[in-house]
Amino acid sequence: AEYMGDTFLDLIAKQIIHLREVHAMPLKFILMNSFSTSEDTKAFLQKYPSLAQDPDLELLQNKAPKVDAQTLEPATHSANPELEWCPPGHGDLYAALAGSGKLDALIAQGVKYMFVSNSDNLGATLDLKILNFFAQSNAPMLMEVCERTEADKKGGHLAKAKEDGKLVLRESAQCPKADEGHFQDITRHRFFNTNNLWLNLPQLKATLEANKGMIPLPLICNSKTIDPRDPTSTKVFQLETAMGAAIASLPGSQALVVPRSRFAPVKTCNDLFLLRSDAYRTTADMRLELAPERQGRAPVVDLDTKHYKLVDGLDPLAPQPPSLVGCDRLTVKGLVGFKAGVVLEGVVEIQNNDAERKYVEGKVAAKTLVL
């Protein structure tokens, strides 16, 4: 909670500046932006001049048309044509690096290794031990993986292809219904991709050249609505690729099992609510780690998606987050608010069946509280 005012970009910027100072090295920093995040990101980073003034700061993703689910034609939205486009997924990293000339420019500057991670994963920092291991391996790519737990069983996993023993990444969208049981068996498929990837740039360039300027990646088809905030708008497909899937296209790639501390992503308001609490601490090098009292096990947070699916619904719930360091599971149903200084312990469920927001105060330990 000591960095409560910081955004993800603040913490990432502070991580990079910290690394540059500690190692007295001009570490390169590149943000892959989409057409919808570019201006906001560059404006925000003006407060960090050493980053903002770097002409190489941004790598701009391409954009892809959303596909009308009925006609399979490019979808149209006359009221807001910007909604007709979507980012093509982070698998576009390779095409964007090659097409922008950035890959050639980096190699020309003597840059050989690139570490890539999702900006919402604040556990992912440039770890020199891993870099050293990767450099000595001479692999084209190293993927950091974590051991799957019951909570991860529906997410993608790493596997070996039967025909050639190559490492492959398999997402739930690529799994036939008949194989769902095996897909979710965490004893059979033990590892998942953290999306912390290490790339050998000269080898990446060689693979791109051998494949006529592209890295072959499986296409993922996501069903959405053209206006993400309007569930009644036209149904569309968004076609995406995932950067981790390149592990199958870069022969000799390896996977490294890393501790869960290198994986603290925020995909939902449940994750953000937890990360804002005292269940996480900020380290000296600006990483977010689980508090030691948690002994490696994060509390499970389940917020009512009717009210807390988007961030603007989350803020009124807890302007000052409750203490979760002693909480194992928190379930919130209905319109609830936490007053300052609330402490939650054990397994707690909070319910409000009224249409008006009701507030929690003080300490709630191991019980269901109906407001």
Side-chain angles (χ1 to χ4, degrees), residues 174-326:
Q174 298 165 304
C175 175
K177 202 80 181 146
D179 197 35
E180 210 168 78
H182 281 160
F183 182 93
Q184 295 186 12
D185 182 350
I186 62 173
T187 59
R188 183 187 186 95
H189 299 298
R190 290 176 50 208
F191 305 106
F192 72 86
N193 168 29
T194 63
N195 239 19
N196 300 346
L197 306 177
W198 299 78
L199 299 170
N200 180 309
L201 296 184
Q203 291 198 50
L204 175 64
K205 181 176 164 64
T207 303
L208 279 161
E209 285 174 350
N211 287 283
K212 298 181 181 172
M214 63 169 285
I215 299 283
L217 298 172
L219 211 55
I220 299 165
C221 184
N222 288 315
S223 298
K224 306 265 183 178
T225 53
I226 194 163
D227 182 347
R229 287 178 175 264
D230 179 5
T232 64
S233 60
T234 306
K235 288 185 166 54
V236 294
F237 296 128
Q238 291 187 193
L239 303 178
E240 299 180 0
T241 57
M243 63 185 183
I247 198 165
S249 304
L250 294 165
S253 292
Q254 296 188 20
L256 178 71
V257 184
V258 297
R260 202 79 183 207
S261 58
R262 288 190 59 77
F263 185 67
V266 174
K267 301 295 181 196
T268 65
C269 283
N270 294 339
D271 300 331
L272 182 57
F273 185 80
L274 180 58
L275 218 56
R276 285 175 170 178
S277 79
D278 59 357
Y280 278 85
R281 304 272 163 84
T282 309
T283 63
D285 56 353
M286 296 293 154
R287 282 178 303 108
L288 277 179
E289 279 191 355
L290 265 177
E293 300 95 305
R294 294 302 312 161
Q295 297 182 328
R297 289 191 304 277
V300 176
V301 173
D302 183 7
L303 304 177
D304 190 335
T305 52
K306 270 201 218 90
H307 303 289
Y308 313 112
K309 191 170 184 184
L310 301 173
V311 174
D312 45 15
L314 185 65
D315 291 336
L317 172 70
Q320 185 182 322
S323 170
L324 295 179
V325 73

